[in-house]
Amino acid sequence: MLVNADFHIHSCFSMASSKDMLIKNIAPKSKLKGLGILGTGDGLHPKWLDILEESTTYLGDGIYSTNNMDFVITTEIEGKNKIHHLIIIPNIDVARELSQKLPSKNKNVDGRPKTQLNGVEILELVRQYDCLIGPAHAFTPWTGMYKSFDSIYDCYEKKVDFVELGLSADTNMADIVGELKDFTFLSNSDAHSPWPHRLGREFNQMELKDISFSSIKYAIKHSNIKANYGLVPNLGKYHMTACTKCFKLVEPEIARKNKMKCECGGRIKKGVDYRISEISDFNEAKHPDFRPPYVHLMPLAELISTVYDKGVTTKTVQNIWQNLIDKFGNEINVLIDVDLNDIIKIDLKIGEAIKSFRNNTIDIVPGGGGKYGEIKFDSLIKEEKKPHVVTLDNF
């Protein structure tokens, strides 16, 4: 069976997460998104595990269900050098034991526990419990594995189960790094709120024998990912090298020359695009035979917001979003599968915007320095909103 899965979210116990990140809110929103399996996130936090047990029914083999939505236990761990690791855990009993074993001072406070264990030590610990592990948002400049290491094996020494690409990268970017040719790529949302424009903004379409931890493990280890879906990398907030204060895009050589300091006084952060070029082995992607397509999409509410120039949570945007969901079942159907003519009958502008995404005829103001990129559809492109990039000539 084909299932849409998002393995990386956070609960209400994670720093900077919405207090509404509770199962009673997450489950129905995930169904409206079109997801079939969702990672619980924060799977080492004792109180979150209590809520999971109280809010769901255990179906066996690692699957917890409520409101026709299935969950698997997952967590993100911040290890040595602030590197983040994504863990998929067999069940709650294992999660509780693993939580006790993990040396961490904040695991009962923050949903994302911090530890001074390095990648090798974290891998050895979680493998004792049959968990799956890989670097979370591997290329991001603050907490990605490649911000500290030039090779994934320098971090873990052994082959991990997957590499999570993050919002600022896709398959075409990652597959210019030769050592990643043997790894399964995952695309997950890292959602901190239950809005459908956060949940499942990136997800994986997987071939599963059934809904179970065992099947998820088999699919990841045997590369049974049929498609990765996610943002155009330019939209990611760390895609380009940019200032974290004024968000001005800066050519990497200028950033280095000025010791990563912007003329405004802010700090410049190396972009994912440039970091990948530093560790690349090829000029263009060399996909292994098992690599599935990477399909670019944008959360429907954000797309509507862009078209109508309204806030994503405004009544106007939410009413249009709800109308489309009521008509076509879920958001993923609208973005990917529904006939464009049927969407145009309901809303011409939205139909044309989705068509632009499907045809790859969109214009993007790239993101960087912590600011998301912006979509400019053909009819909305304004020259004055093109990004200003600092170069040798204008710094």
Side-chain angles (χ1 to χ4, degrees):
M1 67 177 73
L2 283 177
V3 179
N4 297 325
D6 177 4
F7 295 111
H8 186 174
I9 71 166
H10 290 279
S11 76
C12 58
F13 293 103
S14 272
M15 184 172 61
S17 283
S18 168
K19 294 180 180 179
D20 293 326
M21 283 300 273
L22 297 164
I23 294 298
K24 65 180 182 180
N25 300 321
I26 297 170
K29 296 295 186 184
S30 298
K31 293 303 294 185
L32 292 177
K33 186 73 177 189
L35 298 171
I37 295 176
L38 192 66
T40 62
D42 298 357
L44 300 185
H45 194 285
K47 291 184 179 179
W48 182 233
L49 292 175
D50 289 343
I51 290 174
L52 290 172
E53 287 190 307
E54 294 166 1
S55 305
T56 64
T57 299
Y58 185 48
L59 302 183
D61 200 353
I63 301 300
Y64 300 80
S65 187
T66 185
N67 294 324
N68 202 30
M69 186 67 208
D70 295 326
F71 293 84
V72 63
I73 309 299
T74 63
T75 193
E76 184 181 27
I77 295 174
E78 182 176 299
K80 188 176 181 180
N81 297 323
K82 295 185 178 180
I83 295 174
H84 287 192
H85 310 268
L86 179 63
I87 319 293
I88 305 176
I89 303 171
N91 56 58
I92 284 179
D93 290 338
V94 168
R96 291 193 186 279
E97 188 171 346
L98 184 58
S99 178
Q100 292 176 354
K101 289 289 185 69
L102 181 73
S104 172
K105 294 181 179 180
N106 76 327
K107 60 188 175 185
N108 295 327
V109 179
D110 194 345
R112 184 199 296 115
K114 297 179 181 180
T115 179
Q116 283 303 304
L117 296 183
N118 61 30
V120 173
E121 293 167 325
I122 293 173
L123 183 149
E124 290 178 349
L125 174 61
V126 303
R127 284 275 174 85
Q128 295 176 29
Y129 295 94
D130 197 32
C131 300
L132 300 170
I133 180 174
H137 36 75
F139 305 102
T140 52
W142 293 104
T143 56
M145 178 270 300
Y146 277 114
K147 64 106 176 174
S148 296
F149 297 99
D150 289 337
S151 170
I152 193 169
Y153 294 102
D154 290 339
C155 179
Y156 296 104
E157 292 186 359
K158 300 177 181 178
K159 187 174 184 288
V160 292
D161 301 297
F162 57 83
V163 171
E164 184 186 64
L165 297 175
L167 305 183
S168 296
D170 64 4
T171 297
N172 285 327
M173 295 175 65
D175 270 337
I176 68 172
V177 180
E179 70 173 6
L180 296 181
K181 69 182 187 310
D182 297 325
F183 288 85
T184 294
F185 291 160
L186 294 184
S187 44
N188 300 310
S189 71
D190 199 359
H192 286 64
S193 74
W195 288 95
H197 66 273
R198 293 291 183 245
L199 288 168
R201 58 183 166 178
E202 296 203 345
F203 64 93
N204 314 275
Q205 189 174 80
M206 311 175 70
E207 181 70 44
L208 297 179
K209 296 178 181 179
D210 53 35
I211 305 297
S212 65
F213 173 83
S214 298
S215 290
I216 292 169
K217 179 180 178 180
Y218 183 90
I220 291 175
K221 282 186 169 291
H222 292 81
S223 302
N224 281 350
I225 310 296
K226 298 305 179 184
N228 295 105
Y229 291 87
L231 300 182
V232 180
N234 285 3
L235 289 172
K237 61 183 180 179
Y238 298 113
H239 181 74
M240 299 290 285
T241 299
C243 176
T244 58
K245 183 178 179 180
C246 70
F247 305 116
K248 185 181 297 180
L249 305 185
V250 183
E251 292 288 351
E253 62 266 28
I254 296 298
R256 290 198 308 271
K257 179 181 177 181
N258 290 279
K259 299 180 179 179
M260 306 306 282
K261 291 290 185 180
C262 181
E263 58 187 355
C264 77
R267 182 182 181 186
I268 298 171
K269 263 298 178 181
K270 185 185 295 185
V272 168
D273 178 69
Y274 182 64
R275 180 58 183 141
I276 290 178
S277 75
E278 287 184 316
I279 58 174
S280 66
D281 298 286
F282 317 115
N283 292 325
E284 59 182 31
K286 292 188 177 182
H287 303 303
D289 291 340
F290 67 84
R291 186 75 71 221
Y294 195 106
V295 181
H296 295 130
L297 46 71
M298 181 182 189
L300 182 58
E302 290 189 358
L303 186 148
I304 297 167
S305 173
T306 299
V307 169
Y308 283 95
D309 196 23
K310 302 283 187 180
V312 71
T313 60
T314 61
K315 187 175 181 179
T316 297
V317 171
Q318 290 302 309
N319 283 344
I320 296 171
W321 181 88
Q322 190 64 58
N323 188 30
L324 290 167
I325 300 307
D326 290 343
K327 179 68 175 179
F328 300 116
N330 63 64
E331 180 173 317
I332 291 173
N333 282 343
V334 175
L335 293 171
I336 299 169
D337 298 320
V338 174
D339 189 288
L340 286 170
N341 291 325
D342 292 334
I343 298 174
I344 288 171
K345 289 176 183 177
I346 295 176
D347 191 300
L348 174 61
K349 291 182 178 180
I350 300 306
E352 290 297 328
I354 292 174
K355 180 180 178 181
S356 294
F357 240 101
R358 292 184 186 180
N359 295 341
N360 196 28
T361 57
I362 54 175
D363 187 62
I364 297 175
V365 178
K371 181 182 179 182
Y372 287 106
E374 299 177 38
I375 288 288
K376 302 296 173 188
F377 295 104
D378 291 342
S379 61
L380 300 175
I381 297 171
K382 296 180 180 179
E383 190 64 31
E384 64 268 22
K385 291 194 176 182
K386 295 290 186 179
H388 173 65
V389 181
V390 177
T391 65
L392 284 167
D393 296 327
N394 61 23
F395 188 82

